[in-house]
Amino acid sequence: MKNKNFAKLSINNKTYNLPIYKASEGNDVIDIAKLFAESGHFTYDPGFTSTASCQSKITYIDGDKGILRYRGYDIEELAKNSDFIEVTNLLIYGDLPNKKQLSKYYKLISNHTMVHEQLLKFFNGFRRDAHPMAMMVGVMGALSSFYQDSLDINDPHQRMTASRRIIAKASSIGAMAYKYSIGQPFVQPNNKLSYSENFLNMCFSVPAEEYKISKVIANAMDVIFILHADHEQNASTSTVRLAGSSGANPFACIAAGVASLWGPAHGGANQAALEMLKTIGHKKNISKYIKKAKDKNDTFRLMGFGHRVYKNYDPRAKILKQTCKKVLNHIGIKNDPVLEVAIELEKIALKDKYFIDKKLYPNVDFYSGIILRAIGFPPEMFTVIFAIARSAGWTAHWHEMIEDPVQKIGRPRQLYSGNKKTKYGVRRSTKNTR
Ligand code: CMC
């Protein structure tokens, strides 16, 4: 981070020179790290809309142009030419592997696809109707108790082992959560299959019948995993970094990421988007819901629309729209009412002044649910699949955070607006209205 330029900030007639660091691409940053020590002021930025919390080399997004790149590679090229495991390698190691490195890496990951036998019993503690994300949060955290030989964050070998375990076991745990919720026996991983084929097999095969894995569906699964693998400092990734900054073990940090992802404004939006499309039900009802979305007094939002960073069409949604058509065509679904509503809703919203002015475009969650539903997943599994994919990005960021020499425990400050010193007992009965 070289800096030649400074921003000047005046507070009470005193001027502070704040270094400006150049980004290799995208927005430069103003370093305010010493501002509090020198001026006694904090900065205020709810939701961190103007705050870079770290320096990162992993993912680049240009929200205005609709660009997403992992380690410099365009997402479109990765989705077309790579599979998910190769992309996890790219995210963690920094560049695409050669053939030899890749085949060694496949083996290293597949060595960890099975879970400890005792962990299977862990599932019995959950209610059958538990949301699979609830199981995902719990079981991911529980890995800390099973893999105690990879908890030392100061040992690079243990850190790498933990990462491979997380990536390999995320899909096994996700599939087990699904099987548990539908009352079917767990299916053990099969290391002869690719990551996506193996996940489909663990979810859909049963002891009584063979499950034929379709290349088209496995490829769509890879595309979904690749597109969800990372997205720079989003809420769940920032949660993983913040949890990790205290020195917490990697499995606990990833569990924190899963919890953060679950919310409907983040990873939970794919389930919410599909449910919304089903509720709309028919093209003739779209205008009613567009009206609701624009009404300030209505909490309804178009799920799968809008993004904190993209002020253009989300490049992931563009790829998924094509994948969606391929999958439905392959399965032989000709007139899917949900897809029809989605395409028409998108068309209407993109011409509507409200959505144009606010730069609200379809995001990754708009089409992913339609594909996953066509493959056979219930809506509750959509966010689980997002979490499986994002485990790769979380892990890459966790590594980068630990290896960053300027890394400190994350400790935001606040603008205190509560009571000043108060005499004990004065407000006890009059002001406590809760
Ligand atoms: N439908 C209707 N209005 C919207 C929508 C929407 N989906 N999204 C934003 N707006 C309006 C919002 O009401 C606000 O209007 P105003 O300026 O008049 O108050 C304006 O647009 C800006 O919205 P914001 O909430 O301040 O923007 P944000 O950057 O904080 O939120 C978002 C981004 C993704 C949370 C939001 O667009 C949203 O809630 N979308 C629906 C949920 C969704 O699809 N989430 C998935 C995000 S992509 C997957 C991921 O990365 O996790």
Side-chain angles (χ1 to χ4, degrees):
M1 280 198 295
K2 284 189 191 143
N3 72 290
K4 284 192 191 129
N5 295 326
F6 289 87
K8 287 189 190 306
L9 176 69
S10 292
I11 307 173
N12 300 333
N13 296 328
K14 199 163 172 216
T15 301
Y16 301 90
N17 287 320
L18 306 171
I20 299 179
Y21 302 135
K22 258 207 120 16
S24 57
E25 219 174 345
N27 304 93
D28 300 340
V29 301
I30 301 169
D31 180 353
I32 53 153
K34 296 200 177 117
L35 185 65
F36 169 62
E38 290 174 3
S39 75
H41 287 75
F42 301 135
T43 54
Y44 180 59
D45 182 18
F48 310 123
T49 54
S50 296
T51 298
S53 60
C54 62
Q55 191 183 156
S56 182
K57 293 183 166 60
I58 301 172
T59 289
Y60 172 68
I61 303 174
D62 183 328
D64 291 325
K65 292 191 186 135
I67 291 173
L68 169 62
R69 292 188 199 123
Y70 297 160
R71 301 282 190 186
Y73 295 96
D74 279 326
I75 194 68
E76 291 81 1
E77 286 200 81
L78 293 170
K80 194 169 158 207
N81 302 311
S82 286
D83 70 1
F84 177 62
I85 286 299
E86 187 174 31
V87 169
T88 68
N89 184 289
L90 169 70
L91 289 169
I92 291 176
Y93 291 96
D95 208 345
L96 284 170
N98 62 31
K99 267 194 173 164
K100 204 170 148 205
Q101 289 165 331
L102 185 58
S103 83
K104 188 175 161 207
Y105 181 69
Y106 274 124
K107 225 177 149 3
L108 285 170
I109 293 288
S110 55
N111 275 344
H112 293 294
T113 49
M114 284 170 64
V115 296
H116 193 290
E117 197 60 14
Q118 192 68 18
L119 197 82
L120 308 185
K121 299 199 178 94
F122 203 90
F123 277 89
N124 287 331
F126 292 106
R127 283 171 57 132
R128 287 275 175 193
D129 63 355
H131 195 289
M133 277 299 274
M135 297 188 232
M136 198 76 186
V137 179
V139 178
M140 194 56 93
L143 292 181
S144 339
S145 71
F146 290 96
Y147 301 102
Q148 297 176 24
D149 59 346
S150 53
L151 299 183
D152 181 358
I153 63 160
N154 298 314
D155 176 345
H157 175 72
Q158 291 201 30
R159 290 206 297 269
M160 211 38 101
T161 307
S163 314
R164 290 176 192 141
R165 283 183 166 143
I166 288 163
I167 291 169
K169 292 181 203 305
S171 74
S172 308
I173 295 170
M176 287 162 81
Y178 174 55
K179 285 298 201 189
Y180 184 77
S181 68
I182 57 170
Q184 287 185 2
F186 297 138
V187 175
Q188 288 295 336
N190 176 350
N191 290 346
K192 285 193 189 123
L193 300 173
S194 75
Y195 191 90
S196 291
E197 288 170 340
N198 184 39
F199 177 63
L200 289 166
N201 194 55
M202 288 190 291
C203 288
F204 296 123
S205 76
V206 286
E209 241 172 79
E210 192 195 350
Y211 170 71
K212 284 210 177 82
I213 305 163
S214 140
K215 283 275 165 222
V216 176
I217 303 296
N219 186 264
M221 213 57 239
D222 258 314
V223 169
I224 288 178
F225 282 146
I226 290 170
L227 299 185
H228 289 85
D230 195 42
H231 215 231
E232 52 121 303
Q233 313 308 324
N234 53 81
S236 57
T237 302
S238 300
T239 302
V240 170
R241 279 184 177 262
L242 195 57
S245 76
S246 72
N249 79 66
F251 304 106
C253 296
I254 302 299
V258 178
S260 168
L261 184 77
W262 194 359
H266 192 6
N270 47 18
Q271 176 175 349
L274 185 80
E275 276 158 6
M276 174 196 76
L277 293 172
K278 286 205 282 191
T279 307
I280 296 175
H282 194 277
K283 289 195 257 183
K284 67 175 193 280
N285 301 325
I286 291 175
S287 56
K288 180 177 132 199
Y289 285 91
I290 293 265
K291 216 166 153 194
K292 272 167 77 61
K294 296 191 309 192
D295 183 353
K296 276 261 150 273
N297 301 316
D298 194 323
T299 53
F300 176 79
R301 281 188 170 200
L302 278 195
M303 299 314 281
F305 253 79
H307 199 276
R308 169 64 60 80
V309 183
Y310 293 117
K311 301 304 165 197
N312 200 328
Y313 209 105
D314 181 336
R316 302 168 298 174
K318 254 187 214 162
I319 300 170
L320 285 180
K321 191 174 177 181
Q322 297 312 319
T323 309
C324 184
K325 287 181 180 163
K326 268 189 218 159
V327 167
L328 296 194
N329 198 24
H330 171 75
I331 296 176
I333 303 175
K334 291 243 160 50
N335 303 311
D336 181 24
V338 177
L339 180 64
E340 277 174 21
V341 169
I343 289 175
E344 190 62 19
L345 178 64
E346 178 191 327
K347 217 191 275 171
I348 294 173
L350 293 182
K351 282 188 203 144
D352 190 292
K353 190 171 167 1
Y354 174 93
F355 291 91
I356 295 170
D357 288 352
K358 294 188 188 305
K359 299 187 176 167
L360 300 170
Y361 293 84
N363 61 47
V364 68
D365 295 319
F366 196 64
Y367 286 104
S368 62
I370 304 176
I371 305 174
L372 293 172
R373 169 175 158 270
I375 293 176
F377 288 107
E380 299 76 44
M381 276 300 286
F382 298 174
T383 317
V384 169
I385 289 164
F386 193 156
I388 293 170
R390 191 55 61 87
S391 298
W394 291 332
T395 307
H397 282 272
W398 176 78
H399 273 282
E400 190 176 67
M401 187 263 313
I402 304 261
E403 286 158 16
D404 186 346
V406 302
Q407 189 269 326
K408 287 180 182 187
I409 184 167
R411 178 41 170 108
R413 306 304 292 257
Q414 64 174 9
L415 171 65
Y416 178 68
S417 55
N419 296 316
K420 291 190 174 162
K421 182 177 164 62
T422 305
K423 203 162 174 232
Y424 184 80
V426 168
R427 295 189 324 272
R428 196 185 281 274
S429 56
T430 51
K431 296 234 176 115
N432 189 349
T433 51
R434 274 191 211 159

